[in-house]
Amino acid sequence: MTPLLNIMRALADPTRLRITLLIRQLELSVSEVVQILGQSQPRVSRHIKILDEAGIAERRREGAWVFLRPGPMLAHPAIEPLFSLPGTEDSKPVLRDLARLEEVRSARTAMAAAWFDAHAAEWDRIRSLHIAEAEVESAMRTILEETPLGRVLDIGTGTGRMIELFAKGADRFVALDNSVEMLRLARAKLAGLPDAASVQAHTEIVLGDFNGLPFPDAGFDTILFHQVLHYAQHPERAIAEAARVLVPGGRLMVVDFASHDLEELRSVHAHARLGFSDESIARAFAAAGLVAGRTETLAGGTLAVKIWLGQRGQTASESPRLRPPLLRNVA
């Protein structure tokens, strides 16, 4: 049977069509699909299996959860026009599904808000020690937007702030974290974006560890370590592993604290490293085959925030992307 016939057979069932319409809007867990459709999990799972086999949906395991997102065949040029036909998205069952989908979005947002409320004092304490996040993010934008982002990997995505900032401008955006709880927060962030459906089309949220990235070699153009490397017991290994999945000429950005002596961040907040010196990052870059480029220092509190940029596989003289090292202090 041809792929197109498989697709048409899969979409011929009303329940499978409803599931497809839902995942076009938002990546959903199987339990959320069950909740929205009001059907039993075994029945929904059978429908999902057919959609998966037809390439319309993809199942992705994240700990004990299974998530569903659009599959590659859903982008088939013969299929896309079907979803704009009159009556496709305004039938009573579909309208009811979309209303329940909004309830799922709201539940995710509420979960994220509760988490932030519970951790607000802890986060505010750390944020009070350094320059405003807006200044750091502005500096990141200035550097990264000098060239196209291409395929982006955000290592240690946490609450998903980098999704919010950079996913829209990327060809593909992968947000990775080793915490299921953090990925739920990132997913809530994605669901709350004004253009969530279009961003989701090229955004993946993945469970994984920076010591062993679940990706083949040379798959990303831009890689971010935003305030995560200080949790690494062996940061040089994490950088080397990131360099492995970076294309030749690709960029790796590390945003973290400069070296400091605030032991509280180690004892209370589980930081494995009390910041980094320029020399330590330069050594890690060189060992990983990265050419050190720009270095920026954003001062303005007890802790200075640093931005280090490296590029794989080219010398500074060969690379038009990287300017000579630049030191900028923001008081």
Side-chain angles (χ1 to χ4, degrees), residues 304-318:
V305 175
K306 303 281 293 192
I307 299 177
W308 295 277
L309 191 69
Q311 187 169 24
R312 180 182 170 188
Q314 297 185 35
T315 65
S317 61
E318 293 172 333

Side-chain angles (χ1 to χ4, degrees), residues 194-314:
D195 47 0
S198 62
V199 174
Q200 179 190 281
H202 62 267
T203 300
E204 300 172 55
I205 295 176
V206 177
L207 182 68
D209 189 274
F210 51 44
N211 292 305
L213 297 171
F215 310 112
D217 295 354
F220 295 94
D221 303 290
T222 306
I223 296 180
L224 306 176
F225 280 101
H226 176 253
Q227 292 291 10
V228 68
L229 201 60
H230 55 247
Y231 290 111
Q233 294 295 331
H234 302 285
E236 65 285 350
R237 294 182 190 174
I239 288 174
E241 177 65 358
R244 177 184 66 79
V245 303
L246 196 62
V247 300
R251 299 176 296 169
L252 184 149
M253 175 179 280
V254 175
V255 181
D256 218 304
F257 298 125
S259 296
H260 62 85
D261 58 2
L262 293 182
E263 282 292 339
E264 173 194 354
L265 296 186
R266 194 198 315 268
S267 58
V268 177
H269 301 290
H271 290 200
R273 296 297 182 99
L274 298 183
F276 300 94
S277 66
D278 291 343
E279 293 74 20
S280 65
I281 294 295
R283 285 195 301 270
F285 278 4
L290 301 173
V291 178
R294 297 182 67 171
T295 298
E296 299 217 10
T297 303
L298 306 175
T302 304
L303 299 176
V305 175
K306 303 281 293 192
I307 299 177
W308 295 277
L309 191 69
Q311 187 169 24
R312 180 182 170 188
Q314 297 185 35

Side-chain angles (χ1 to χ4, degrees), residues 74-187:
L74 200 53
H76 194 291
I79 300 304
E80 181 63 29
L82 294 177
F83 297 100
S84 59
L85 290 175
T88 303
E89 295 193 358
D90 59 3
S91 67
K92 286 184 179 179
V94 171
L95 290 175
R96 185 167 57 247
D97 291 346
L98 294 177
R100 290 175 176 169
L101 180 64
E102 290 308 310
E103 293 175 5
V104 168
R105 290 184 197 267
S106 297
R108 289 183 179 183
T109 301
M111 176 273 298
W115 189 91
F116 281 114
D117 286 345
H119 294 80
E122 172 187 337
W123 280 46
D124 287 347
R125 164 65 179 148
I126 296 177
R127 286 173 175 169
S128 70
L129 297 173
H130 61 79
I131 196 168
E133 293 289 343
E135 294 280 358
V136 178
E137 292 169 0
S138 176
M140 292 177 67
R141 281 183 181 276
T142 298
I143 296 170
L144 290 175
E145 292 178 356
E146 290 179 352
T147 59
L149 292 172
R151 297 158 296 177
V152 179
L153 173 60
D154 178 27
I155 297 178
T157 195
T159 60
R161 176 58 177 163
M162 297 298 102
I163 296 174
E164 197 171 23
L165 290 177
F166 299 114
K168 187 175 181 179
D171 296 333
R172 177 191 180 206
F173 193 99
V174 178
L176 176 138
D177 205 286
N178 66 353
S179 165
V180 172
E181 182 181 47
M182 284 297 183
L183 292 184
R184 292 176 189 167
L185 294 170
R187 195 168 286 107

